[in-house]
Amino acid sequence: MYLGELYSLDIGLEAYKKHIRDIFSTIKKNQYQYKSKDSLLKEIGFSKGSYVDDYFKKLKMESPNKDWGKSVRKFKQYFAIKVPKYVKIKIKTLHSKIEFKYDIEKSFILNSFKTHFKFKKILGKENRIIASNGIFQAEEINNGRIEFLDMNKVVIGEMSNISFATETSRIQIGEIGKNVDFNDFNSKLYLYNFSKNFTKFNLKGDYSELNLYNITKSNFSMDVFGHNTTLNMNETKTSFGLSKDKKLDKILEKKVKENKVSQGNIAIELKNGILNIK
């Protein structure tokens, strides 16, 4: 409890007030922009945690001699734990900031609240991750089950063989690999790419906003069913209204190109949602 930095933003209140509008306008401007997997990995490597932290880190790097003031609320407690690579790890945290400097290759169990995490690769066979009200960044996750609730920021470079349950979170994924299942409620999901090893992706969402990129250029099939859902595609907005029996209707279908081998299948069910295809 209360490990690492509690307040990492080492600037004064006046500097924060001066830039607050620019911070949120920058976040909004970049909200729907496409990102490659490599660019997302660079973003993870650069990140100090929150979008605000990253914004001021960049400004301070650009103007290292400028006086940014000092934060009056600050508590820092640093320490390192050396762990043998091939042991199972189980972590419970509250109000902490933790960074792993190596790839986790054995099973990993995490239960956290209001914690900032930064990982390299999580590659164990039986990973179990439950996190709420925090920040989660990882270069890659392979195998296991993840549950995110009210997460402020989730950035993952690549994921495969994952069962994902999310609620009221903002999630960016650089690349979807083999066998990924999503169940979501009221989150904003940004899925930028599907890998060469992609096989199938299933998503069921309620009040979800799903953003997909480079779909039309890819050679895989896709079926989208919706109820009270809006589809934004090719600068055209189409709304699929309510039905008395709340039946899911097919709102979009993409077939594999003729004489081409399918790369995989995307199956989506959205209720009361928004689907943006870029």
Side-chain angles (χ1 to χ4, degrees):
M1 182 174 178
Y2 295 106
L3 307 179
E5 296 178 296
L6 186 59
Y7 301 105
S8 60
L9 192 60
D10 191 16
I11 62 164
L13 182 60
E14 292 304 315
Y16 179 82
K17 287 180 178 179
K18 182 179 178 181
H19 289 274
I20 190 66
R21 288 186 178 180
D22 288 340
I23 293 169
F24 289 105
S25 64
T26 300
I27 293 172
K28 188 175 181 180
K29 181 182 177 181
N30 297 333
Q31 186 173 10
Y32 296 107
Q33 288 185 351
Y34 166 76
K35 297 179 182 180
S36 66
K37 174 186 169 183
D38 288 341
S39 68
L40 211 64
L41 289 175
K42 288 180 181 178
E43 184 179 314
I44 294 169
F46 176 84
S47 179
K48 287 190 70 177
S50 71
Y51 293 110
V52 176
D53 286 335
D54 296 345
Y55 178 88
F56 280 106
K57 180 182 177 181
K58 184 177 180 181
L59 284 187
K60 291 170 79 172
M61 289 176 67
E62 293 171 350
S63 305
N65 297 321
K66 185 174 179 178
D67 183 7
W68 295 95
K70 293 293 182 181
S71 173
V72 295
R73 297 181 69 193
K74 196 172 181 183
F75 167 76
K76 290 186 177 181
Q77 185 180 36
Y78 293 102
F79 61 89
I81 301 173
K82 293 184 178 181
V83 181
K85 265 193 173 184
Y86 300 101
V87 298
K88 295 181 180 180
I89 299 174
K90 184 176 181 180
I91 295 177
K92 290 185 178 182
T93 63
L94 173 66
H95 289 277
S96 303
K97 186 171 183 179
I98 299 175
E99 181 176 357
F100 277 74
K101 300 287 189 179
Y102 68 98
D103 298 340
I104 300 173
E105 299 183 10
K106 288 293 183 180
S107 65
F108 177 67
I109 300 173
L110 170 68
N111 198 319
S112 71
F113 178 73
K114 286 192 176 181
T115 296
H116 294 191
F117 284 104
K118 189 173 178 179
F119 296 94
K120 287 188 172 294
K121 297 180 180 180
I122 302 174
L123 305 173
K125 292 184 178 180
E126 298 177 353
N127 302 309
R128 180 80 163 118
I129 296 170
I130 302 174
S132 61
N133 295 92
I135 292 174
F136 186 97
Q137 299 184 95
E139 293 179 2
E140 181 181 341
I141 305 178
N142 199 340
N143 301 310
R145 178 170 174 79
I146 301 173
E147 295 180 28
F148 286 145
L149 172 64
D150 297 330
M151 293 293 282
N152 303 318
K153 178 182 178 182
V154 176
V155 184
I156 300 171
E158 179 183 354
M159 62 164 45
S160 298
N161 302 311
I162 293 292
S163 175
F164 220 152
T166 57
E167 184 174 334
T168 53
S169 301
R170 187 176 189 272
I171 298 169
Q172 299 181 74
I173 300 175
E175 202 168 83
I176 298 291
K178 294 181 179 179
N179 303 326
V180 177
D181 287 295
F182 246 100
N183 277 279
D184 176 68
F185 177 78
N186 197 30
S187 296
K188 291 187 177 182
L189 311 172
Y190 301 84
L191 312 181
Y192 297 114
N193 304 280
F194 289 83
S195 73
K196 293 180 181 178
N197 296 324
F198 163 68
T199 51
K200 65 177 182 178
F201 172 76
N202 299 323
L203 181 140
K204 293 183 179 180
D206 196 0
Y207 293 96
S208 305
E209 180 185 321
L210 174 61
N211 299 275
L212 299 176
Y213 298 78
N214 293 330
I215 293 296
T216 56
K217 299 177 183 178
S218 303
N219 191 39
F220 46 70
S221 58
M222 181 170 68
D223 295 297
V224 181
F225 290 84
H227 165 72
N228 191 31
T229 291
T230 298
L231 171 65
N232 296 311
M233 183 178 179
N234 299 326
E235 298 183 356
T236 301
K237 180 179 179 179
T238 308
S239 296
F240 298 85
L242 292 164
S243 60
K244 291 182 179 179
D245 56 2
K246 297 185 179 181
K247 181 182 177 182
L248 290 167
D249 297 316
K250 181 174 282 191
I251 63 176
L252 184 66
E253 180 180 13
K254 179 183 179 296
K255 295 182 179 180
V256 178
K257 294 178 182 178
E258 192 174 351
N259 299 323
K260 296 287 184 178
V261 178
S262 174
Q263 293 176 319
N265 177 257
I266 297 174
I268 297 171
E269 294 182 6
L270 282 178
K271 298 178 182 178
N272 314 301
I274 298 173
L275 174 59
N276 298 314
I277 295 181
K278 307 292 184 179

